[in-house]
Amino acid sequence: MRIFSGIQPTGEKHLGNYIGAIRQYVEGQDRADPAIYCIVDLHAITVAFDPEELRKRLYDTTAILLASGLDPERCVLFRQSDVHEHTELCWLLAGVCAHGDLNRMHQFKEKSERQRELVSAGLFFYPVLQAADVLAYRADEVPVGEDQRQHIELMREIARRFNERFGEVLVVPEHRIPATGAKVMDLQEPERKMSTTVGADSGRVYLLDEPDAIRSKFGSAVTDSGREILRAPDKAGISNMIGILAVATDRSEQEVEAEFAEAGYGDFKKAVAEAVVEYLRPVREAYPAIREDEKNLERILATGAGRAREMASQTLGDVRAAMGVGVPPSG
Ligand code: TYM
């Protein structure tokens, strides 16, 4: 069974990324053969960016993943732009991807509304490249957060269309969205997901935040005028923190609700903050030494790219042959 997932090298990674996706990557290493994780620098250039920052962020994200427990001996970790098969497959798949489907992508609508200067064609095409990322490896499973559900549906549709038209070449992948923590919400505006690009810094917890910063963010987290610590549609802030505490302490949300049945909001928020401080401690402590050694990071990414290229080039050979593109296959 193959697992594939991708993560953007933009901004600093936050608790939503960790709970929704990164913890699943770590766990996937023991189930998959292999687990393949890609830092998607080519996706990052679809919105305004600075070239020097991009390089730096790529190392930051690589170091975050390693500090979180990705082990280059047990997974394939690489940089998207090192494996040219992704961009070639993106173009080949464009032939079976409906323009109307791309037009319906929520993330395109949201991100294009936020662009101040240029809404790039790349932003519109983003989901096709994402489909190519996964389909190039014939991956079975894609661990992601809730916000990627529609992109995964689209890649399934692209794979199905391709196979109908050209024969059974691609694997139709399944998403793996966690039952708890698939959509961690902003602490200041809990009706909205925690995001790198939208909202104030105080609404998101960065993985590398110092304990006091974490405490102060949860301390000022928005709740509601009630008193009960229960999940409910009109209690977005409390519901969000129940989910966070459940994941951070490896319990169910019901168990958290039972424990805090008699508690007040203040004590509850303190407990969530302390749990998150501990939950992120290993990442925070391991990060600096890993990040400092850029030569080692490059070495890990290069080894990963070599292994990734081997897998992706096989798929590309089959796709090209099935589509009648390029030199005819021999034999
Ligand atoms: P990115 O870098 O924005 O996010 C990385 C992962 O974090 C999840 N996530 C969240 N989960 C829970 N709560 C949140 N508030 C939250 N915010 C983000 C995302 O769902 C994601 O799993 N398009 C992808 C990158 C990508 C990709 C791929 C993913 C490119 N190619 C192929 C899977 C397969 C993205 O923007 O990730």
Side-chain angles (χ1 to χ4, degrees):
M1 198 261 306
R2 278 187 185 170
I3 291 180
F4 182 98
S5 200
I7 187 164
Q8 294 213 52
T10 41
E12 292 161 283
K13 290 295 154 185
H14 55 68
L15 189 61
N17 298 130
Y18 191 80
I19 288 183
I22 298 173
R23 75 180 159 124
Q24 299 201 83
Y25 305 168
V26 176
E27 174 264 343
Q29 296 182 108
D30 299 323
R31 290 190 300 114
D33 185 21
I36 308 160
Y37 302 119
C38 177
I39 303 162
V40 295
D41 54 346
L42 298 178
H43 277 108
I45 63 170
T46 58
V47 292
F49 76 103
D50 173 72
E52 246 174 68
E53 278 276 291
L54 180 62
R55 282 237 159 77
K56 181 180 153 303
R57 299 281 189 210
L58 192 124
Y59 289 144
D60 294 349
T61 305
T62 309
I64 287 268
L65 294 177
L66 294 168
S68 301
L70 288 194
D71 173 0
E73 301 288 320
R74 290 190 295 144
C75 72
V76 177
L77 177 62
F78 72 105
R79 171 171 45 208
Q80 187 184 34
S81 60
D82 286 346
V83 181
H84 297 173
E85 279 77 1
H86 291 236
T87 40
E88 183 181 352
L89 185 58
C90 174
W91 185 252
L92 295 174
L93 294 176
V96 293
C97 175
H99 180 272
D101 286 347
L102 290 180
N103 249 337
R104 277 188 283 279
M105 293 291 118
H106 308 310
Q107 288 218 332
F108 173 70
K109 285 183 199 155
E110 286 159 21
K111 285 190 185 173
S112 54
E113 275 162 20
R114 282 206 305 273
Q115 297 312 304
R116 288 207 202 100
E117 289 162 19
L118 172 84
V119 177
S120 73
L123 191 60
F124 187 67
F125 233 62
Y126 181 114
V128 191
L129 181 58
Q130 182 162 347
D133 292 341
V134 175
L135 301 181
Y137 299 90
R138 296 184 165 118
D140 304 282
E141 205 177 277
V142 190
V144 285
E146 178 63 41
D147 62 351
Q148 296 300 312
R149 187 184 287 274
Q150 197 188 27
H151 285 162
I152 309 284
E153 260 321 304
L154 178 71
M155 75 177 66
R156 288 167 57 81
E157 180 60 21
I158 291 175
R160 279 193 294 258
R161 277 225 197 103
F162 185 96
N163 287 349
E164 265 169 35
R165 170 99 170 77
F166 301 110
E168 288 294 314
V169 174
L170 299 174
V171 170
V172 181
E174 306 274 343
H175 61 68
R176 189 179 173 94
I177 296 176
T180 308
K183 194 171 184 187
V184 175
M185 309 306 269
D186 188 278
L187 299 183
Q188 290 299 321
E189 298 170 68
E191 300 76 28
R192 216 177 33 65
K193 71 166 182 179
M194 190 178 284
S195 146
T196 332
T197 40
V198 187
D201 252 9
S202 52
R204 56 186 160 254
V205 173
Y206 295 113
L207 298 188
L208 303 176
D209 270 349
E210 290 300 327
D212 278 344
I214 297 177
R215 290 184 186 110
S216 115
K217 287 176 183 178
F218 280 103
S220 67
V222 166
T223 51
D224 53 65
S225 56
R227 309 169 69 93
E228 292 84 27
I229 295 169
L230 285 175
R231 285 162 294 158
D234 60 341
K235 296 170 79 70
I238 291 292
S239 304
N240 185 37
M241 284 187 276
I242 291 173
I244 292 172
L245 183 54
V247 171
T249 53
D250 199 16
R251 285 181 295 173
S252 69
E253 292 170 302
Q254 288 87 333
E255 284 172 299
V256 169
E257 286 167 344
E259 182 188 339
F260 289 91
E262 307 291 321
Y265 283 177
D267 287 342
F268 174 63
K269 292 207 281 187
K270 278 200 185 107
V272 182
E274 289 315 315
V276 171
V277 166
E278 287 314 310
Y279 185 55
L280 297 180
R281 182 182 297 282
V283 186
R284 192 170 56 239
E285 291 184 351
Y287 179 85
I290 298 174
R291 175 63 181 84
E292 201 178 309
D293 192 349
E294 292 188 356
K295 278 213 176 80
N296 187 47
L297 295 175
E298 272 303 339
R299 195 182 50 74
I300 289 169
L301 292 171
T303 308
R307 293 177 64 197
R309 206 172 295 123
E310 240 170 69
M311 291 181 266
S313 63
Q314 282 185 17
T315 311
L316 260 291
D318 294 346
V319 167
R320 290 169 65 110
M323 293 182 83
V325 167
V327 180
S330 52

